[in-house]
């Protein structure tokens, strides 16, 4: 072995400028929802029920950062790098105003306290690189992320994903078909539905007028296969979904402990 082969190698931390200043208090909550191996995975899982405090300093700061990024047309956006530790911990989702970030090509959400991402991310049509790496409470993503047609690169902590190929943790059980007239879809329990509101169909982008049908589907987005939550307005839209990625459940499904997942690692 040559001397240069045995010498220790130093790899640069490309996320060093993505997390903001350090803090004496935790900047995110710890999560072991899905376990970390076949031996530790739970029999059932549930959505995080955190609700976003829209009066918090962190939320208000994030809104201002998004407005500034939209105004100056920047192509790289690292919002949490400009926030304090306590502010970062206060943010559990992104605001719908991310839809204004149509110039952003590279979105970095490294080490956040996020538990969900809103469907409006689908409006970021120039997005090419998506990096929510080490945001360990993000176990799923909205189906609308597939609308980012230019997205080719991603860095995701796949071990924390529902149904990940490494040890196949379960998916949360979804509700059956729900009448839109009998449920306030603008005031939902995120612990049950995965979100606080559903306004448009994940598939056709039309309004949810008659009913809401939810489903899970695993698809390749960027460089990673992600569990995607579909909020559909009809059976027709569910049937229109593409095939799931090879090596995952072969059709959209409702999650829950009775779902039998494929075994073994999927080939990308």
């Amino acid at each position: 072995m040559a001397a240069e082969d045995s010498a220790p190698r130093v790899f640069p931390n490309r996320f060093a400028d993505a997390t903001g200043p350090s803090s004496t208090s935790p900047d995110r909550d710890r999560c072991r929802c899905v376990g970390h191996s076949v031996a530790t995975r739970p029999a059932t899982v549930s959505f995080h029920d955190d609700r976003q405090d829209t009066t918090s300093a962190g939320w208000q700061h994030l809104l201002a950062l998004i407005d500034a990024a939209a105004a100056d047309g920047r192509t790289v956006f690292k919002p949490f790098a400009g926030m304090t530790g306590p502010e970062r911990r206060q943010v559990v989702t992104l605001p719908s105003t991310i839809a204004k970030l149509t110039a952003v090509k590279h979105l970095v959400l490294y080490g956040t306290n996020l538990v969900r991402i809103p469907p409006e991310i689908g409006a970021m049509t120039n997005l090419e690189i998506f990096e929510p790496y080490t945001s360990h409470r993000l176990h799923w993503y909205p189906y609308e992320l597939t609308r980012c047609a230019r997205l080719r690169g991603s860095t995701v902590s796949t071990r924390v994903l529902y149904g990940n190929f490494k040890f196949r943790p379960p998916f949360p059980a979804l509700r059956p078909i729900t009448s839109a007239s009998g449920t306030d879809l603008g005031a939902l329990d995120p612990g049950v539905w995965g979100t606080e509101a559903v306004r448009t169909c994940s598939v056709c982008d039309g309004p949810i007028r008659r009913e809401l049908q939810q489903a899970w589907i695993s698809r390749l987005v960027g460089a990673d296969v992600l569990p995607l939550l579909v909020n559909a307005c009809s059976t027709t839209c569910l049937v229109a979904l593409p095939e799931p990625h090879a090596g995952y459940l072969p059709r959209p499904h409702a999650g829950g402990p009775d779902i039998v997942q494929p075994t073994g690692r999927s080939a990308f």
Side-chain angles (χ1 to χ4, degrees):
M1 180 182 293
E4 59 269 22
D5 293 332
S6 61
R9 300 174 64 188
V10 177
F11 295 93
N13 179 7
R14 58 194 176 92
F15 296 107
D17 62 347
T19 57
S22 60
S23 174
T24 56
S25 58
D27 60 357
R28 51 180 161 163
D29 298 300
R30 299 301 172 186
C31 175
R32 286 291 188 181
C33 281
V34 300
H36 54 84
S37 65
V38 171
T40 61
R41 69 186 177 196
T44 61
V45 293
S46 301
F47 290 111
H48 284 283
D49 61 2
D50 307 51
R51 294 178 182 270
Q52 180 60 56
D53 179 2
T54 57
T55 67
S56 67
W59 183 255
Q60 296 301 317
H61 192 177
L62 180 56
L63 290 175
L65 290 169
I66 290 173
D67 286 345
D72 64 29
R74 74 189 68 175
T75 59
V76 179
F77 190 41
K78 304 177 181 181
F80 292 91
M83 302 171 68
T84 66
E87 286 178 335
R88 294 194 295 272
R89 192 174 187 180
Q90 291 167 355
V91 177
V92 297
T93 187
L94 299 178
S96 61
T97 53
I98 60 171
K100 300 188 295 184
L101 301 177
T102 54
V104 170
K105 297 181 179 180
H106 185 181
L107 177 61
V108 181
L109 304 173
Y110 179 84
T112 72
N113 202 35
L114 296 173
V115 299
R116 54 187 171 270
I117 290 177
E120 285 80 7
I121 195 171
M124 297 178 64
T125 51
N126 278 308
L127 189 62
E128 297 176 0
I129 303 173
F130 178 53
E131 296 185 311
Y133 190 50
T134 71
S135 289
H136 289 152
R137 301 213 298 158
L138 279 176
H139 307 305
W140 62 276
Y141 292 85
Y143 183 76
E144 287 81 352
L145 188 59
T146 62
R147 296 179 188 168
C148 300
R150 298 186 179 184
L151 184 55
R152 293 293 180 268
S154 61
T155 309
V156 177
S157 295
T158 53
R159 188 173 287 276
V160 303
L161 298 178
Y162 297 139
N164 74 72
F165 66 84
K166 296 177 179 176
F167 60 99
R168 307 288 183 175
F171 292 77
L174 299 176
R175 302 274 296 208
I177 298 175
T178 302
S179 169
S181 62
T183 304
D184 185 354
L185 298 181
L188 299 174
D189 180 349
V192 174
W193 303 89
T195 181
E196 294 186 59
V198 177
R199 297 181 175 86
T200 57
C201 177
S202 300
V203 184
C204 72
D205 203 28
I208 305 286
R209 288 197 176 99
R210 298 179 59 186
E211 63 188 29
L212 171 63
Q213 297 193 43
Q214 292 190 301
W216 291 111
I217 187 170
S218 297
R219 293 280 296 169
L220 181 66
V221 182
D224 298 283
V225 177
L226 304 180
L228 304 171
L229 179 62
V230 179
N231 290 303
C233 67
S234 64
T235 301
T236 300
C237 280
L238 281 185
V239 172
L241 288 170
E243 288 188 5
H245 193 72
Y248 290 76
L249 284 161
R251 62 189 64 84
H253 61 92
D258 296 330
I259 295 295
V260 179
Q261 299 187 57
T263 58
R265 184 181 181 119
S266 167
F268 278 41

